Amino acid sequence: MSKSKPTGQGDQLDPRKQMILRAVVFEYVTGAEPVGSELLTQKYELGVRSATVRNELAEMSDLGYLDQPHTSAGRIPSDLGYRYFVDHMIVYRDLGPHAKRQVQTITRDGELLQTLLTETTSLLSRLTRLMSAATTITNQHLRAKSAMLTALGPDRALVVLVLSNGHVENKLVECPEGMTLAHIGRANNELMGLINEKSLTELVSLSSATHHSSDPAYDRLMHNVLHVIQSICRDLTKGKIIVEGEEYLFGQPEFMRDPAPLQQLLQHIEDRGTASLATSKKDEHGLDVKIGKENNLQVWKQFAVIRHPFFVGDQEMGNLTIVGPTRLDYESNIPLLTYAAQAVSDTLTKIFGPGK
């Protein structure tokens, strides 16, 4: 069954504006061209004249839900408009039996994780005509028991990280000019609160850029120490990344006109690996949808990213991801990704689950 997300309290769009926004989203997703009032009144039963639609489009632009690329052009959905659509208006489309059979065949026959994820991402790209990716994570449930900093001289120190499984990691860190043993002691006291019992994935996300005190040498030391701890944890949790369908994005009108943003994104993924597709905030179903400027890094701000985790039993093992322009078809792609992630989870649990 298709289902629509209910409209929440305090929404800014009345029913007519919602109808117009849905029509603009549909037309722009389909045609990748700005949408004008004449087209909307001809194709949709909005119950008002073109001049009224034109006024509504202007008002929705003022509210931030639509953008106008050129003064003489029609409107396109803004990132805020897409977010409103996804949160309040989306009607998930049922997967056709053919797509379901393809997903079931790929996931049912997969025996090795690498093969399973490669074939699944390849299928997702063919079905969506977008780029898809799979990332795996390892050691994500390990926790840090303690971290200690030991001075080795005026310009070097050793970071020692003890993990919950008894494993010990150590790495050299550069010390700033002016560092004293008092700084080392102060850093160890702070590390006790910052590091103790945090998971490796939490430590990967630990910010080293927001540490400020009245002592520049100490701030620089902590910045270097946290950066080293992040590096250790990133290496320990580094899984694999599989990317398929880059050619489909190069064929999208936005990137045919200007391929530079896509080229920069692909370089970023190649450089950062699994960290480039790390999730941040998920909904109660595990879904993470980031649209345009909602993405933290500049390199992602012209893209929409849909992620869904897959599991072995109740242990998260990685994510499937669909990447496209912000005008991608959310109503079709979200349920497809959700179905594929569940199918992968079912297969992995049968092969690697408890008792296997």
Side-chain angles (χ1 to χ4, degrees):
M1 290 289 292
S2 296
K3 59 180 182 179
S4 177
K5 287 192 174 183
T7 301
Q9 295 286 333
D11 295 327
Q12 292 180 300
L13 298 186
D14 58 38
R16 182 193 291 166
K17 286 185 174 63
Q18 290 192 28
M19 290 175 59
I20 292 173
L21 177 60
R22 172 176 286 281
V24 172
V25 168
F26 179 81
E27 291 297 328
Y28 191 62
V29 165
T30 304
E33 292 291 341
V35 182
S37 57
E38 292 291 342
L39 175 67
L40 294 177
T41 52
Q42 290 171 9
K43 292 190 66 173
Y44 298 90
E45 295 181 2
L46 300 175
V48 292
R49 295 180 179 178
S50 177
T52 302
V53 174
R54 190 158 49 248
N55 291 335
E56 293 279 24
L57 292 173
E59 187 173 340
M60 291 167 69
S61 297
D62 292 339
L63 291 171
Y65 293 100
L66 299 176
D67 287 332
Q68 191 173 23
H70 310 288
T71 54
S72 60
R75 263 67 172 191
I76 64 175
S78 66
D79 294 345
L80 179 63
Y82 285 123
R83 171 52 61 192
Y84 187 96
F85 176 80
V86 168
D87 285 349
H88 303 298
M89 300 170 60
I90 195 168
V91 178
Y92 292 141
R93 298 196 186 107
D94 290 332
L95 295 184
H98 180 62
K100 286 184 177 180
R101 279 196 302 271
Q102 287 181 285
V103 173
Q104 290 167 357
T105 299
I106 289 292
T107 55
R108 183 177 60 244
D109 295 342
E111 294 269 330
L112 298 174
L113 179 61
Q114 182 83 7
T115 302
L116 172 64
L117 296 180
T118 299
E119 293 183 351
T120 300
T121 52
S122 179
L123 176 62
L124 284 172
S125 287
R126 292 198 304 272
L127 292 175
T128 63
R129 316 299 288 181
L130 298 170
M131 188 170 77
S132 64
T135 54
T136 60
I137 50 180
T138 58
N139 294 321
Q140 71 273 24
H141 295 297
L142 279 181
R143 294 187 173 274
K145 299 296 289 184
S146 64
M148 181 172 290
L149 185 64
T150 303
L152 298 180
D155 59 354
R156 287 194 309 167
L158 185 70
V159 174
V160 179
L161 187 66
V162 181
L163 306 179
S164 56
N165 64 352
H167 186 66
V168 178
E169 288 282 333
N170 55 74
K171 199 167 186 177
L172 291 174
V173 59
E174 291 186 5
C175 298
E177 186 177 350
M179 187 205 73
T180 66
L181 289 178
H183 288 133
I184 296 289
R186 180 181 172 188
N188 280 323
N189 287 333
E190 185 168 354
L191 286 173
M192 287 178 61
L194 281 175
I195 304 302
N196 191 37
E197 294 300 328
K198 282 190 170 64
S199 69
L200 298 191
T201 50
E202 289 176 309
L203 293 178
V204 168
S205 303
L206 197 63
S207 175
S208 60
T210 57
H211 194 280
H212 298 291
S213 74
S214 58
D215 188 337
Y218 178 70
D219 286 343
R220 187 62 192 170
L221 174 65
M222 285 300 297
H223 174 86
N224 293 350
V225 169
L226 293 178
H227 180 75
V228 164
I229 290 173
Q230 284 178 310
S231 175
I232 292 172
C233 295
R234 190 175 293 116
D235 288 342
L236 289 172
T237 57
K238 187 179 292 182
K240 295 186 180 296
I241 182 168
I242 299 164
V243 179
E244 298 283 345
E246 302 98 315
E247 67 276 13
Y248 294 121
L249 285 193
F250 278 112
Q252 295 290 335
E254 297 91 332
F255 307 123
M256 290 179 68
R257 290 190 292 265
D258 180 13
L262 178 54
Q263 292 167 343
Q264 293 167 7
L265 178 66
L266 295 176
Q267 186 63 55
H268 171 75
I269 293 174
E270 182 178 342
D271 293 341
R272 293 288 305 279
T274 55
S276 66
L277 289 167
T279 58
S280 50
K281 183 179 179 181
K282 304 174 184 177
D283 69 10
E284 65 272 20
H285 305 296
L287 186 69
D288 178 31
V289 181
K290 290 288 184 295
I291 302 169
K293 296 181 181 65
E294 294 176 354
N295 291 292
N296 292 329
L297 297 179
Q298 184 64 36
V299 73
W300 285 100
K301 291 188 182 296
Q302 294 192 40
F303 299 87
V305 186
I306 309 172
R307 305 179 183 89
H308 201 292
F310 56 85
F311 299 83
V312 172
D314 59 359
Q315 181 176 353
E316 184 175 337
M317 295 299 294
N319 289 277
L320 293 179
T321 304
I322 292 173
V323 179
T326 54
R327 62 174 185 86
L328 64 77
D329 186 348
Y330 299 93
E331 293 185 318
S332 295
N333 292 324
I334 290 176
L336 173 61
L337 184 66
T338 301
Y339 186 85
Q342 184 59 58
V344 168
S345 297
D346 291 344
T347 297
L348 292 179
T349 300
K350 289 176 184 177
I351 299 173
F352 303 112
K356 302 299 181 184

